[in-house]
């Protein structure tokens, strides 16, 4: 990850933690003082949307800029708690490592059981959970409900975010 200089950023950009907006403190090029900084960035196949800020010839993720301006520390990764990459309010951001960031993923589009980590195999339901790059087998069950309960218990045990595996609205 790229190092973001707090002093340099704070001389040019202001962050409002309540609404998540980043604005220019001084006029700069075609940007005027008070203008909102940032542009829409769509990653991959358009499934993830974020805001980026063009600063010193680099495109920086707005959520990382917000974190540095708020705490003057470099985050490993930033997780948007509600899954909306455009929502950069401070209450929606948390600094996490890669392992914890994966604990707040939306339900995959090819999921048929309706629960992350639960699938059907030879007429039975299998529950698994991935923690620190290891897959933990939770068991094989006759009923979907039992497999889902096992998976949910494991999510609680391993401190997954409450939104993990939920189908989220498109923003």
């Amino acid at each position: 990850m790229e190092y973001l200089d707090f002093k340099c950023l704070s001389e040019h950009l202001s962050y409002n933690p309540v609404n998540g907006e980043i604005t220019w403190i001084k006029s700069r090029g075609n940007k005027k003082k008070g203008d909102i900084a940032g542009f829409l960035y769509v990653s991959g196949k358009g499934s993830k949307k974020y805001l980026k800020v063009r600063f010193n010839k680099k495109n920086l993720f707005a959520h990382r800029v917000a974190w540095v301006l708020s705490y003057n520390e470099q985050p490993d990764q930033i997780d948007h708690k509600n899954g909306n990459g455009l929502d950069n309010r401070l209450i929606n951001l948390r600094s996490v490592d890669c392992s914890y960031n994966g604990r707040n993923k939306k339900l995959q589009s090819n999921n048929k059981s309706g629960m992350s980590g639960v699938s059907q195999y030879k007429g039975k339901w299998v529950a698994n959970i991935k923690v620190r790059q290891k897959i933990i087998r939770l068991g094989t069950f006759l009923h979907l409900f039992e497999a889902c309960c096992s998976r949910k218990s494991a999510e609680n045990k391993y401190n997954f975010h409450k939104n993990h595996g939920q189908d989220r609205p498109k923003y």
Side-chain angles (χ1 to χ4, degrees):
M1 261 319 129
E2 188 170 346
Y3 176 80
L4 302 181
D5 185 326
F6 171 79
K7 186 175 185 301
C8 188
L9 287 173
S10 62
E11 288 174 0
H12 298 279
L13 297 167
S14 176
Y15 170 64
N16 181 330
V18 176
N19 65 16
E21 286 183 351
I22 298 172
T23 54
W24 293 102
I25 293 175
K26 305 175 189 176
S27 294
R28 183 180 170 110
N30 63 349
K31 304 296 181 188
K32 294 185 174 48
K33 178 182 176 178
D35 281 355
I36 293 176
F39 61 91
L40 180 65
Y41 169 77
V42 181
S43 69
K45 297 177 183 173
S47 61
K48 293 185 179 182
K49 296 177 182 175
Y50 298 99
L51 292 175
K52 283 196 167 188
V53 175
R54 181 87 176 150
F55 185 75
N56 286 348
K57 299 181 183 177
K58 294 180 182 165
N59 294 327
L60 309 172
F61 281 106
H63 51 268
R64 295 185 64 78
V65 171
W67 194 267
V68 170
L69 289 174
S70 296
Y71 298 111
N72 190 14
E73 70 177 32
Q74 303 296 314
D76 182 9
Q77 291 189 10
I78 296 292
D79 178 38
H80 291 82
K81 295 177 191 175
N82 68 4
N84 179 356
L86 301 175
D87 183 354
N88 291 318
R89 295 172 300 138
L90 195 56
I91 195 169
N92 187 45
L93 304 178
R94 66 181 180 151
S95 178
V96 295
D97 63 19
C98 183
S99 172
Y100 277 96
N101 203 13
R103 296 178 188 194
N104 188 14
K105 291 170 75 172
K106 70 180 186 112
L107 188 66
Q108 291 185 334
S109 61
N110 63 350
N111 183 293
K112 296 193 177 24
S113 70
M115 169 75 68
S116 288
V118 175
S119 59
Q120 201 167 27
Y121 180 72
K122 293 186 178 180
K124 294 187 179 176
W125 294 98
V126 179
N128 298 301
I129 194 164
K130 188 174 185 179
V131 178
R132 290 186 174 81
Q133 305 306 317
K134 282 188 169 181
I135 295 175
I136 301 169
R137 186 172 179 124
L138 303 172
T140 303
F141 306 89
L142 291 176
H143 303 286
L144 174 61
F145 180 76
E146 294 170 322
C148 291
C149 288
S150 176
R151 170 61 192 218
K152 204 55 159 161
S153 293
E155 287 179 11
N156 290 334
K157 177 181 177 181
Y158 294 109
N159 297 316
F160 277 55
H161 193 274
K162 66 181 180 178
N163 291 341
H164 181 80
Q166 291 185 6
D167 208 8
R168 305 220 179 106
K170 306 245 185 297
Y171 296 98

